[in-house]
Amino acid sequence: MGRFSRSILHRPDEEAGKAWPAIVIGLFVAFGGVLFGYDTGTISGILAMPYWQTLFSTGYVNTQGHPDVSPSESSAIVSILSAGTFFGSLGSPLFADTIGRRYALIASAWVFILGVILQTAATAIPLFLAGRFFAGAGVGLISALIPLYQSETAPRWVRGAIVGAYQLAITIGLLLAAVVDYATQDRQDTGSYRIPVAVQFAWAIILISGMLLLPETPRYLIKRGQYDKAARSLSRLRRIESNDSAIQNELLEIKANHDYEMSIGKSTYLDCFRGPMLKRQLTGMGLQALQQLTGINFIFYYGTQYFKNSGIQDPFTIQMITSCINVVSTLPGLWAVDKLGRRPLLLWGAVGMCVSQFLVAMLGTLTAGQDSAGNIIVYNVAAQKAGIAFVCIYIFFFASTWGPLAWVVTGEIFPLKTRAKGLSMTTATNWLLNWAIAYATPYLVNYGEGYANLQSKIFFVWFGACFICISFVYFFIYETKGWSLEEVDELYSEVSSARKSAAWTPKTTFAQRQSAAAAATAGTTAETTATEKADGSDGASHHDDHPTDHATV
């Protein structure tokens, strides 16, 4: 583990200052992913708790004859979180570009706390739904703001691992949710669900406390015209004096890039879909949409119930195992993202997910059936267990590639002027598809009139999406490994095809261009002034040549 961490965190010799402050700050901010992962993961176990089913039932009885929430109510409970996150992520620029990235994260955590209070107090579906919505709004804000903060503070040579650590925190949150759900599932009181929900207070308070101590991002301060504060912030991140040439050169490049962007005009949401920004915006939105369509949240939202339907005797245990695999598998992705690059990882990850989902679909469809009441009949238990194994292999490929890299890539591809708005829409796309999958899954999977009753055939849908992922990466994902955010902006300006992006190297910086433009302007001004002076001198000499003319006249 020590060698693993050293290989990730080894600072290139040409990089000035110390790396550990920015890395520690980025990793702490990634802790916000625990809120995201825990909140989305805990609902799967809660929906399967007998006490919760009885307390929140409105009269529906499931196929086992036990009081439960109906499939439509289950769909609403799961998906309302994603509806909140959709609106929360869209609203994130209002906070991020107004009060700053740091205070926006603090405000988002308070919105999340409101949702947790309502869920903890609930004993019926309406209040529980309201709590899920507000918790979702907080998670949506946080999920857009954390990659933004990390991208703007991380050193370029380790930015992929730092932003990817956000996904690691999400997986840890999912694991913690599975553990707490498992510990309280058999309680015959409100503690069965209130304890898992109330634990989230701790995550939010930790995030708020830490953000009060951390600096604002230098790029936001440059955006606000606060150059001295930006220098102090960058100095704190790099642990060198603010007047050091390395700090001044980095700030000069950030400012030159921003000045160039602002010379074109201020940004609106529509500007994200105009001109050269359209390609980047659609790339980010497509990447986040496909991340959801790979089927990962089917496993973590409905996995407990699915494993139970597949004949697994202890589905909670399987859920904990898949959560552990999710956490551990993220680690090789964090190592590889800044070593191998974004394109290879996303491409081969998509291939691995595609094969795994196809095999899960085939094994589940061919070795299980249903009786007239809709109960699952397993013809081959060994094949069902093999299907679970391929689910685990799929999780490995997702967690080491598409899980972290979707956040890494979308955090890199937008210029400072539109970064908060662009990221908000890519994150909103993630949550929109998250909501659609969460809402539609019960109708697609469950048995009964008005339901598609796909059962394991749902994995054919995820297989098809993973197949599309392969082509998407090949044609649209640029290789951004090792470049600063300003150099990534230059990459998109100069390279028209993603397939050629790996061979690109920057020729000039924005600061050099700005200096050249200023020198050219100064040269033109000097030449004009000299010409005017020369014309003036000529006029004077003509008058001197004929001094007597005036006297004669």
mmCIF file of all heavy atoms in Angstrom, residues 493-508:
data_model
loop_
_atom_site.group_PDB
_atom_site.id
_atom_site.type_symbol
_atom_site.label_atom_id
_atom_site.label_comp_id
_atom_site.label_asym_id
_atom_site.label_seq_id
_atom_site.Cartn_x
_atom_site.Cartn_y
_atom_site.Cartn_z
ATOM 1 N N SER A 493 -8.918 23.655 -28.394
ATOM 2 C CA SER A 493 -8.913 24.700 -29.428
ATOM 3 C C SER A 493 -8.117 24.287 -30.656
ATOM 4 O O SER A 493 -8.436 24.682 -31.779
ATOM 5 C CB SER A 493 -8.324 25.996 -28.854
ATOM 6 O OG SER A 493 -9.092 26.460 -27.768
ATOM 7 N N GLU A 494 -7.071 23.463 -30.445
ATOM 8 C CA GLU A 494 -6.156 23.154 -31.544
ATOM 9 C C GLU A 494 -6.382 21.786 -32.186
ATOM 10 O O GLU A 494 -5.973 21.570 -33.325
ATOM 11 C CB GLU A 494 -4.707 23.224 -31.030
ATOM 12 C CG GLU A 494 -4.282 24.627 -30.610
ATOM 13 C CD GLU A 494 -2.817 24.688 -30.200
ATOM 14 O OE1 GLU A 494 -2.145 23.634 -30.263
ATOM 15 O OE2 GLU A 494 -2.359 25.781 -29.820
ATOM 16 N N VAL A 495 -7.003 20.847 -31.467
ATOM 17 C CA VAL A 495 -7.159 19.479 -31.973
ATOM 18 C C VAL A 495 -8.640 19.202 -32.227
ATOM 19 O O VAL A 495 -9.457 19.295 -31.314
ATOM 20 C CB VAL A 495 -6.583 18.451 -30.975
ATOM 21 C CG1 VAL A 495 -6.759 17.037 -31.516
ATOM 22 C CG2 VAL A 495 -5.118 18.740 -30.698
ATOM 23 N N SER A 496 -8.973 18.855 -33.449
ATOM 24 C CA SER A 496 -10.377 18.657 -33.807
ATOM 25 C C SER A 496 -10.862 17.239 -33.554
ATOM 26 O O SER A 496 -12.062 16.998 -33.413
ATOM 27 C CB SER A 496 -10.595 19.008 -35.286
ATOM 28 O OG SER A 496 -9.774 18.174 -36.112
ATOM 29 N N SER A 497 -9.956 16.272 -33.486
ATOM 30 C CA SER A 497 -10.340 14.873 -33.327
ATOM 31 C C SER A 497 -9.787 14.312 -32.024
ATOM 32 O O SER A 497 -8.585 14.436 -31.744
ATOM 33 C CB SER A 497 -9.824 14.033 -34.504
ATOM 34 O OG SER A 497 -10.042 12.653 -34.275
ATOM 35 N N ALA A 498 -10.663 13.670 -31.233
ATOM 36 C CA ALA A 498 -10.232 13.079 -29.969
ATOM 37 C C ALA A 498 -9.168 12.006 -30.186
ATOM 38 O O ALA A 498 -8.293 11.804 -29.336
ATOM 39 C CB ALA A 498 -11.437 12.487 -29.234
ATOM 40 N N ARG A 499 -9.211 11.333 -31.316
ATOM 41 C CA ARG A 499 -8.257 10.254 -31.593
ATOM 42 C C ARG A 499 -6.823 10.767 -31.726
ATOM 43 O O ARG A 499 -5.870 10.020 -31.554
ATOM 44 C CB ARG A 499 -8.662 9.512 -32.859
ATOM 45 C CG ARG A 499 -9.921 8.650 -32.718
ATOM 46 C CD ARG A 499 -10.435 8.188 -34.069
ATOM 47 N NE ARG A 499 -11.009 9.299 -34.821
ATOM 48 C CZ ARG A 499 -11.385 9.222 -36.092
ATOM 49 N NH1 ARG A 499 -11.206 8.100 -36.771
ATOM 50 N NH2 ARG A 499 -11.921 10.263 -36.699
ATOM 51 N N LYS A 500 -6.655 12.069 -32.045
ATOM 52 C CA LYS A 500 -5.328 12.640 -32.211
ATOM 53 C C LYS A 500 -4.844 13.370 -30.963
ATOM 54 O O LYS A 500 -3.739 13.926 -30.949
ATOM 55 C CB LYS A 500 -5.334 13.623 -33.396
ATOM 56 C CG LYS A 500 -5.711 12.978 -34.721
ATOM 57 C CD LYS A 500 -5.777 14.018 -35.831
ATOM 58 C CE LYS A 500 -6.198 13.384 -37.164
ATOM 59 N NZ LYS A 500 -6.320 14.406 -38.235
ATOM 60 N N SER A 501 -5.662 13.382 -29.920
ATOM 61 C CA SER A 501 -5.354 14.206 -28.752
ATOM 62 C C SER A 501 -4.147 13.706 -27.963
ATOM 63 O O SER A 501 -3.424 14.496 -27.350
ATOM 64 C CB SER A 501 -6.578 14.272 -27.823
ATOM 65 O OG SER A 501 -6.940 12.972 -27.375
ATOM 66 N N ALA A 502 -3.894 12.391 -27.961
ATOM 67 C CA ALA A 502 -2.789 11.846 -27.166
ATOM 68 C C ALA A 502 -1.428 12.320 -27.675
ATOM 69 O O ALA A 502 -0.459 12.378 -26.906
ATOM 70 C CB ALA A 502 -2.850 10.322 -27.168
ATOM 71 N N ALA A 503 -1.337 12.690 -28.952
ATOM 72 C CA ALA A 503 -0.056 13.101 -29.535
ATOM 73 C C ALA A 503 0.185 14.599 -29.414
ATOM 74 O O ALA A 503 1.263 15.085 -29.773
ATOM 75 C CB ALA A 503 0.001 12.689 -31.008
ATOM 76 N N TRP A 504 -0.778 15.348 -28.887
ATOM 77 C CA TRP A 504 -0.677 16.808 -28.844
ATOM 78 C C TRP A 504 0.243 17.276 -27.725
ATOM 79 O O TRP A 504 0.287 16.678 -26.644
ATOM 80 C CB TRP A 504 -2.067 17.410 -28.648
ATOM 81 C CG TRP A 504 -2.090 18.913 -28.523
ATOM 82 C CD1 TRP A 504 -2.115 19.825 -29.530
ATOM 83 C CD2 TRP A 504 -2.097 19.664 -27.304
ATOM 84 N NE1 TRP A 504 -2.148 21.097 -29.032
ATOM 85 C CE2 TRP A 504 -2.133 21.031 -27.658
ATOM 86 C CE3 TRP A 504 -2.065 19.319 -25.953
ATOM 87 C CZ2 TRP A 504 -2.151 22.053 -26.710
ATOM 88 C CZ3 TRP A 504 -2.078 20.329 -24.995
ATOM 89 C CH2 TRP A 504 -2.117 21.685 -25.380
ATOM 90 N N THR A 505 0.989 18.352 -27.975
ATOM 91 C CA THR A 505 1.748 19.042 -26.929
ATOM 92 C C THR A 505 1.544 20.543 -27.124
ATOM 93 O O THR A 505 1.449 21.026 -28.266
ATOM 94 C CB THR A 505 3.252 18.726 -26.997
ATOM 95 O OG1 THR A 505 3.732 19.019 -28.316
ATOM 96 C CG2 THR A 505 3.520 17.268 -26.671
ATOM 97 N N PRO A 506 1.490 21.313 -26.028
ATOM 98 C CA PRO A 506 1.259 22.757 -26.165
ATOM 99 C C PRO A 506 2.464 23.463 -26.767
ATOM 100 O O PRO A 506 3.609 23.152 -26.439
ATOM 101 C CB PRO A 506 1.005 23.205 -24.712
ATOM 102 C CG PRO A 506 1.665 22.165 -23.867
ATOM 103 C CD PRO A 506 1.555 20.884 -24.630
ATOM 104 N N LYS A 507 2.218 24.421 -27.657
ATOM 105 C CA LYS A 507 3.295 25.172 -28.303
ATOM 106 C C LYS A 507 3.580 26.473 -27.572
ATOM 107 O O LYS A 507 4.709 26.899 -27.450
ATOM 108 C CB LYS A 507 2.925 25.451 -29.772
ATOM 109 C CG LYS A 507 2.743 24.190 -30.607
ATOM 110 C CD LYS A 507 2.334 24.539 -32.023
ATOM 111 C CE LYS A 507 2.173 23.278 -32.875
ATOM 112 N NZ LYS A 507 1.069 22.409 -32.381
ATOM 113 N N THR A 508 2.518 27.129 -27.109
ATOM 114 C CA THR A 508 2.661 28.370 -26.344
ATOM 115 C C THR A 508 1.654 28.359 -25.202
ATOM 116 O O THR A 508 0.713 27.560 -25.200
ATOM 117 C CB THR A 508 2.375 29.608 -27.224
ATOM 118 O OG1 THR A 508 1.034 29.510 -27.740
ATOM 119 C CG2 THR A 508 3.355 29.710 -28.372
#
